[in-house]
Amino acid sequence: MRRFWLSLCMAAAVLIADAQSIVPSKQDIAAFFTTKTLVVLEDNPLSEFNAIIRDVMKQEWKITEYDFIQDKDFEKKRLDPQYSFIYLSKVTFENDKTDAEYRFLQLSLGGDYFRLNEMPDIASVPLAYYNVSEDRYDYKLGIILRFMQNHASLIREHPEIVSSNVFKHYNENTGIMKDKVFYLLKEELAPDVNTEARIKKIYPYKFRIVTEDEIEEAIRNRDPDVVFLHKVGPEGTKINARCYNVIIGAGDAIFYYFDYHKISDKNPDGFLASDFKNLVK
């Protein structure tokens, strides 16, 4: 993703990215495992991210040494190849007339790159539309960190899958999830598939319409029998652009499905009937 610093009102600083990821080379991937990972904390004193990321890094991060830095120190530190970085970024897409902004969690390599947009991305996961409340995703940060570590190990072992659309690889896992219970939030389902009866007409496997608390409990317990939907949509904001639908294993932190669609009257903000049909192909 091409990135550059932008000063924001309220004295906060955020990373702006567009949709083009910098695909890591085999050498980049190998180098990542020798780095110390620096987590970039936000300046915003009202952000829950700083407190939560400190806790979940301690609980979950095993793959490299790590530490924390303030975002004012990132510009200098990023030039050092001994470091990799975890940070929140604001992502926009070129040629998107809606000017929608998304919040991603990114894992990138440092190095002597003149421009920020030259830093290779090991993983970049959509969390939410930028103005959506943090509590829509903060309880998922730990499992997303686990996924990032799994993903880094996977692309080290199988560098041939690395591409600008590498997450599509995980759609090969849809067959495995048929033996698991699919947890869904009613408000994240498209209107034509927002009841058990409607879902059963097109999805013959186990599922439950649950609460956020039940998803959080499955994540906390690392329940090996549960997969859950991580949806990124406007959540009632006025901007309608992309809706990401990601299915994550609560126990193994594997992506079982990754797709997105452009939101329209025909394809609303939510998990669609066509997504269910993709799972049973």
Side-chain angles (χ1 to χ4, degrees):
M1 294 187 176
R2 296 201 297 273
R3 297 178 289 273
F4 57 91
W5 284 106
L6 177 73
S7 294
L8 196 66
C9 61
M10 298 175 64
V14 295
L15 284 168
I16 305 296
D18 72 18
Q20 295 183 353
S21 296
I22 303 302
V23 176
S25 67
K26 187 175 181 179
Q27 292 73 26
D28 291 331
I29 297 165
F32 162 72
F33 288 89
T34 69
T35 64
K36 184 174 186 176
T37 301
L38 300 181
V39 182
V40 182
L41 300 175
E42 293 195 295
D43 277 345
N44 183 357
L46 300 179
S47 173
E48 294 290 331
F49 175 78
N50 291 356
I52 293 172
I53 200 67
R54 285 184 182 275
D55 288 341
V56 296
M57 285 293 292
K58 183 177 181 180
Q59 295 166 6
E60 305 292 359
W61 196 259
K62 313 295 182 186
I63 204 166
T64 63
E65 295 183 37
Y66 72 91
D67 204 347
F68 301 90
I69 62 170
Q70 299 299 319
D71 61 3
K72 64 182 176 63
D73 299 317
F74 178 74
E75 182 63 16
K76 180 179 179 179
K77 293 282 190 182
R78 73 169 187 84
L79 300 174
D80 194 330
Q82 71 176 308
Y83 297 127
S84 53
F85 299 88
I86 292 173
Y87 56 95
L88 293 174
S89 65
K90 181 189 288 186
V91 173
T92 60
F93 291 86
E94 289 182 341
N95 302 319
D96 183 350
K97 296 179 180 179
T98 69
D99 293 324
E101 297 172 335
Y102 309 82
R103 188 184 294 273
F104 276 59
L105 188 67
Q106 300 199 203
L107 173 61
S108 302
L109 283 178
D112 188 18
Y113 303 108
F114 180 72
R115 294 182 177 86
L116 202 63
N117 63 9
E118 297 172 355
M119 292 172 61
D121 288 325
I122 301 299
S124 182
V125 179
L127 296 179
Y129 272 57
Y130 193 75
N131 290 322
V132 167
S133 173
E134 288 179 290
D135 60 14
R136 294 293 294 165
Y137 62 81
D138 57 12
Y139 65 96
K140 303 173 188 173
L141 286 174
I143 200 165
I144 290 173
L145 289 177
R146 287 169 55 202
F147 164 77
M148 286 181 159
Q149 294 173 93
N150 291 341
H151 180 72
S153 296
L154 176 68
I155 60 176
R156 178 173 62 173
E157 295 171 9
H158 299 283
E160 69 278 3
I161 72 170
V162 176
S163 70
S164 60
N165 201 16
V166 64
F167 286 173
K168 286 291 187 179
H169 163 80
Y170 290 101
N171 290 341
E172 297 175 8
N173 292 330
T174 55
I176 305 173
M177 68 169 278
K178 294 175 182 178
D179 295 325
K180 299 180 181 292
V181 184
F182 187 13
Y183 276 18
L184 298 151
L185 299 178
K186 184 178 180 67
E187 62 267 27
E188 295 186 341
L189 296 168
D192 61 339
V193 285
N194 66 355
T195 67
E196 291 188 1
R198 290 169 179 172
I199 295 171
K200 286 178 179 178
K201 290 180 179 179
I202 54 176
Y203 185 73
Y205 307 109
K206 292 180 287 186
F207 70 90
R208 286 184 57 202
I209 297 176
V210 298
T211 64
E212 281 190 356
D213 287 342
E214 288 174 290
I215 293 177
E216 186 172 359
E217 181 181 11
I219 294 171
R220 184 172 57 250
N221 295 336
R222 304 189 183 215
D223 191 328
D225 297 321
V226 171
V227 297
F228 66 91
L229 176 63
H230 169 57
K231 184 189 74 71
V232 174
E235 309 293 346
T237 63
K238 294 181 180 179
I239 295 174
N240 289 340
R242 295 186 177 206
C243 174
Y244 288 93
N245 287 307
V246 188
I247 300 174
I248 308 174
D252 54 23
I254 290 174
F255 282 8
Y256 285 81
Y257 182 73
F258 185 97
D259 204 1
Y260 76 89
H261 62 270
K262 293 290 186 70
I263 298 171
S264 65
D265 291 339
K266 183 179 179 180
N267 296 309
D269 174 19
F271 200 75
L272 307 175
S274 59
D275 290 307
F276 279 112
K277 291 174 182 178
N278 287 338
L279 300 179
V280 299
K281 286 182 178 178

